[in-house]
Amino acid sequence: MSGKKWRVILDNENTAFHNMATDEAIMRLLPENKIPTVRLYAWKPAAVSIGYFQSLPEEVDVSQCEKQGVGVVRRVTGGGAVFHEHELTYSIALPEKGVVPQNILESYAKICNAVVLGLAGLGLNCRFVPLNDIAVNGKKISGNAQTRRNGVILQHGTVLLKVDVEKMFSLLKVPNEKLKGKLIEDVKQRVTSVEKELGKNVSFAECQKAMQKGFAENFGVELEEGGLLENEMALAEKIAKEKFSGKDWNYKR
Amino acid sequence: MQGKSVFKVPQGKLLKVFLDFEPAANRIISVKITGDFFLHPENGIELVEKNLKGKSIEEAESVIALAVKENDLQFFGADPASIALAIKMASENAKGGE
């Protein structure tokens, strides 16, 4: 660890393949580049990501995604299917030792607290709900997922700016079509967004700024704005093409 | 014979198991354990699935528990007992011809 300066990448909208490849490239090159990094990004086109252990045809209506121009990708992290549209996604790549607890559950709490602080900056009183959620007024506003490889922790997660449950369920498969209406109502009761809670629209840039502050405060570091290094860019491009946009990976399970 | 089960782990995640099973010999031909759970490291799941090949339904829990112990795997939102139960349910669905 190189003292108290980390990198923040204030990214914009990228495709699902590019986003997942960039997170992985930063993680894989961290032992070499040695720069703890926070990346704050969005998705264009909107996309569904599924967890490492999920079956794509089981969870996602792929033809509906194609029709609606929605991307589909498998993550390197576990957890459930997520529809990424009006949201901010963060990723953080850190050495496994020295910054957050070795214990996985405790490390989720530590990293998620950065998101809680970020959301507090927007005026929301949120709390971490183990294992991997953040809630406000009892409703989920953020989901998070972590992996550890070669001494590096990568955690990424979402902050919902707006939520469109109907659109989400037009893209995801449900166990029982007859119960779809009820399921949509249930999710509407359980999930919220920044806009819903504050009663006003918050821009991506505003949220990005708040998250940047939240991460800096949570880890007691200065976050210096930067971009991807050349080796990260090259690796991200390679794995976007060879891994994340490929059937072998996305239909792996 | 193929079977599938969907099992919500109490206080945990949703498991979906796909099983290819030989009922006469009570033998797992292959199994795919999917769901929104977490496992560290992730590729441990392929190891668990490999170790289950050729085993009986009754052996599943101990086979998974052993793989967890020997390879320092950590499940969150699922555990060997719940996965074994989902495998058993998939075998029963296969027997029922579902």
Side-chain angles (χ1 to χ4, degrees):
Chain A
M1 277 274 308
S2 60
K4 293 283 184 185
K5 270 187 189 174
W6 292 5
R7 172 178 57 166
V8 62
I9 301 175
L10 301 176
D11 224 330
N12 282 310
E13 297 160 322
N14 299 296
T15 66
F17 305 148
H18 179 89
N19 273 334
M20 293 300 92
T22 303
D23 282 357
E24 183 170 332
I26 294 170
M27 169 180 66
R28 276 166 56 174
L29 289 165
L30 191 126
E32 188 179 319
N33 294 335
K34 302 189 191 317
I35 314 169
T37 298
V38 175
R39 189 167 77 95
L40 303 170
Y41 59 94
W43 306 66
K44 193 174 184 177
V48 175
S49 74
I50 60 165
Y52 180 97
F53 306 103
Q54 292 189 300
S55 155
L56 181 58
E58 189 68 24
E59 304 298 333
V60 181
D61 187 336
V62 177
S63 64
Q64 214 18 263
C65 288
E66 278 167 12
K67 255 188 217 165
Q68 297 192 38
V70 168
V72 178
V73 73
R74 178 184 302 280
R75 299 190 304 271
V76 293
T77 51
V82 181
F83 175 48
H84 307 274
E85 193 175 39
H86 306 292
E87 66 166 47
L88 176 142
T89 308
Y90 77 86
S91 68
I92 181 166
L94 295 168
E96 199 174 335
K97 288 181 184 163
V99 187
V100 298
Q102 285 282 99
N103 177 286
I104 290 173
L105 294 177
E106 289 172 15
S107 70
Y108 267 103
K110 174 69 185 176
I111 297 171
C112 286
N113 192 52
V115 179
V116 170
L117 291 173
L119 286 165
L122 292 174
L124 289 171
N125 184 17
C126 300
R127 65 185 187 92
F128 170 60
V129 182
L131 164 73
N132 61 321
D133 290 340
I134 292 165
V136 54
N137 296 323
K139 294 183 178 186
K140 177 173 172 172
I141 196 164
S142 162
N144 305 272
Q146 183 187 121
T147 185
R148 297 179 178 206
R149 318 244 166 124
N150 303 319
V152 179
I153 293 178
L154 169 73
Q155 184 168 311
H156 42 205
T158 63
V159 174
L160 287 169
L161 295 175
K162 284 185 202 175
V163 62
D164 185 345
V165 180
E166 271 90 3
K167 185 170 181 186
M168 181 174 95
F169 275 100
S170 74
L171 304 164
L172 299 181
K173 287 193 181 161
V174 293
N176 185 342
E177 278 295 324
K178 283 182 198 161
L179 297 177
K180 196 166 180 168
K182 191 185 174 300
L183 205 62
I184 290 174
E185 284 314 306
D186 284 354
V187 172
K188 279 184 179 171
Q189 293 303 312
R190 285 191 290 111
V191 175
T192 192
S193 66
V194 172
E195 184 183 83
K196 238 184 187 176
E197 293 301 316
L198 291 177
K200 63 169 186 177
N201 180 43
V202 171
S203 71
F204 174 77
E206 222 177 312
C207 188
Q208 207 176 34
K209 216 173 269 174
M211 286 302 137
Q212 183 177 353
K213 272 191 183 168
F215 274 87
E217 188 188 335
N218 187 54
F219 292 103
V221 295
E222 187 188 329
L223 285 176
E224 268 192 334
E225 285 182 36
L228 289 176
L229 301 176
E230 253 175 51
N231 61 355
E232 290 167 330
M233 251 188 278
L235 182 60
E237 200 175 312
K238 181 177 151 69
I239 52 182
K241 200 170 149 193
E242 292 175 5
K243 178 176 177 178
F244 290 103
S245 58
K247 285 199 165 172
D248 283 356
W249 171 252
N250 289 315
Y251 285 85
K252 177 181 162 74
R253 303 189 62 75
Chain B
M1 200 176 259
Q2 290 171 343
K4 178 190 165 187
S5 69
V6 178
F7 175 59
K8 165 76 173 67
V9 181
Q11 269 88 53
K13 303 288 187 179
L14 190 71
L15 286 172
K16 294 184 183 180
V17 164
F18 301 84
L19 180 73
D20 196 358
F21 177 60
E22 210 177 330
N26 185 20
R27 203 172 66 91
I28 294 168
I29 297 167
S30 69
V31 62
K32 194 162 73 166
I33 303 155
T34 76
D36 59 353
F37 57 91
F38 292 86
L39 172 65
H40 290 261
E42 286 78 9
N43 57 11
I45 201 71
E46 278 91 17
L47 184 79
V48 167
E49 290 170 345
K50 194 175 136 224
N51 289 0
L52 285 166
K53 281 185 186 178
K55 301 295 192 305
S56 70
I57 298 298
E58 292 71 28
E59 285 172 299
E61 185 175 342
S62 59
V63 169
I64 302 165
L66 187 66
V68 165
K69 196 177 165 195
E70 286 184 346
N71 300 283
D72 208 10
L73 305 179
Q74 289 186 72
F75 275 105
F76 297 96
D79 56 25
S82 58
I83 296 168
L85 181 57
I87 292 172
K88 186 166 181 279
M89 286 164 64
S91 75
E92 284 163 359
N93 290 340
K95 283 176 190 168
E98 281 176 32

